[in-house]
Amino acid sequence: MEVKTKKKRYDDDLLELTNISKALSHPLRLYILKRLSKMNACCYSGDLVDELGVGRSTLSQHLKELKYAGLIQGEIEAPYIKYCINRENWALAQKLYKELFNL
Amino acid sequence: MEVKTKKKRYDDDLLELTNISKALSHPLRLYILKRLSKMNACCYSGDLVDELGVGRSTLSQHLKELKYAGLIQGEIEAPYIKYCINRENWALAQKLYKELFNL
DNA sequence: TTTATATTTCGCAAAATTACGAAATGTTTT
DNA sequence: AAAACATTTCGTAATTTTGCGAAATATAAA
């Protein structure tokens, strides 16, 4: 009798790296990360709207995804929200890519 | 009068890195890449079907995407096709992530 | 040359991603 | 308190991704 093979279970590091990669897989999000990852850089949502020429709600959605992936964090600086890299998780991402590429 | 701001044009390196990241953003594809990136490792489609418990056509689709992204290459070794890392483009990916993380 | 094997392509349906305007939320300024 | 400003949430439509069985392609073995 044919045995329907069971689906592979992936380990946590691999799943984490797929999530991070998904976060990096849109030009707008990657642009933001590159911009913020520079030494001590932060920015406001409004700045990026002008810089990128994208709808406010669209940008907000992408920022939310980056936040959800843990790569950035927002700090309220009323009436703005200041976004910066989440250094802890950025270092984790760095580690995972390093492992992938044997750096 | 309101000026509808122009959409940002992204540079080639950034777009290339988004494409590579997209290729890495699925557990099955990342698993394959991790497996193949080990020293001199190659594999056949059939091996992976058993190992991953996924439909043949599904796997084929993912291999196609990895090929399209330039990260792997297939060599005919009848009746099989032997898949390996495309070392040249793998090195490029490595370089781009290195730049992103200032490694 | 028929049969078996390895893989891909096709067609399709379900799910996820993307973009954006309108409306909502919350804060500051007047 | 009202008006102005920054940002997010909601609703929605278009597009892309994903998964898989059936059929097609191509080669090897009998």
Side-chain angles (χ1 to χ4, degrees):
Chain A
M1 176 205 178
E2 281 296 331
V3 177
K4 179 74 176 179
T5 318
K6 246 204 174 150
K7 272 248 162 66
K8 172 87 181 163
R9 299 263 318 178
Y10 301 101
D11 68 53
D12 291 345
D13 271 6
L14 187 143
L15 293 174
E16 181 62 30
L17 191 51
T18 62
N19 284 333
I20 294 169
S21 296
K22 194 175 297 184
L24 303 186
S25 71
H26 187 288
L28 190 146
R29 291 196 296 267
L30 191 52
Y31 179 88
I32 293 170
L33 289 173
K34 280 188 115 153
R35 193 178 184 297
L36 294 185
S37 63
K38 292 190 216 305
M39 193 55 187
N40 287 331
C42 291
C43 71
Y44 304 104
S45 180
D47 302 345
L48 293 171
V49 167
D50 299 339
E51 202 169 326
L52 296 168
V54 71
R56 290 169 191 285
S57 58
T58 302
L59 180 66
S60 189
Q61 174 64 22
H62 285 293
L63 289 171
K64 190 178 173 181
E65 279 172 56
L66 289 174
K67 238 186 310 182
Y68 183 73
L71 296 173
I72 65 170
Q73 57 198 348
E75 187 191 340
I76 292 172
E77 202 172 80
Y80 303 92
I81 299 174
K82 188 171 79 175
Y83 284 102
C84 311
I85 289 285
N86 180 323
R87 291 290 162 190
E88 190 179 341
N89 290 329
W90 189 250
L92 172 63
Q94 189 171 347
K95 174 177 158 284
L96 292 172
Y97 282 110
K98 221 164 157 175
E99 267 171 43
L100 178 64
F101 290 109
N102 290 307
L103 292 174
Chain B
M1 178 204 178
E2 282 295 331
V3 176
K4 178 74 177 179
T5 319
K6 244 201 173 156
K7 272 250 162 64
K8 172 87 182 163
R9 300 264 317 179
Y10 301 100
D11 68 53
D12 290 347
D13 271 8
L14 187 142
L15 292 174
E16 181 62 29
L17 191 51
T18 61
N19 284 332
I20 295 169
S21 296
K22 195 176 296 186
L24 303 186
S25 71
H26 188 288
L28 192 146
R29 291 195 297 266
L30 190 52
Y31 180 88
I32 293 169
L33 289 173
K34 280 189 114 154
R35 194 178 183 295
L36 293 185
S37 63
K38 293 189 216 304
M39 193 55 188
N40 287 329
C42 290
C43 71
Y44 305 104
S45 181
D47 302 345
L48 293 171
V49 167
D50 299 338
E51 202 169 324
L52 296 169
V54 72
R56 287 168 194 286
S57 58
T58 301
L59 180 66
S60 190
Q61 174 64 21
H62 285 293
L63 288 171
K64 190 178 174 183
E65 280 171 54
L66 289 174
K67 238 187 310 182
Y68 182 74
L71 296 173
I72 66 170
Q73 57 199 348
E75 188 190 340
I76 292 170
E77 203 172 81
Y80 303 92
I81 299 176
K82 187 170 78 173
Y83 285 102
C84 312
I85 288 285
N86 181 321
R87 291 290 162 190
E88 190 179 341
N89 290 328
W90 189 249
L92 172 63
Q94 189 170 350
K95 173 177 158 287
L96 291 172
Y97 282 110
K98 223 164 155 174
E99 267 171 42
L100 178 64
F101 289 109
N102 291 306
L103 293 173

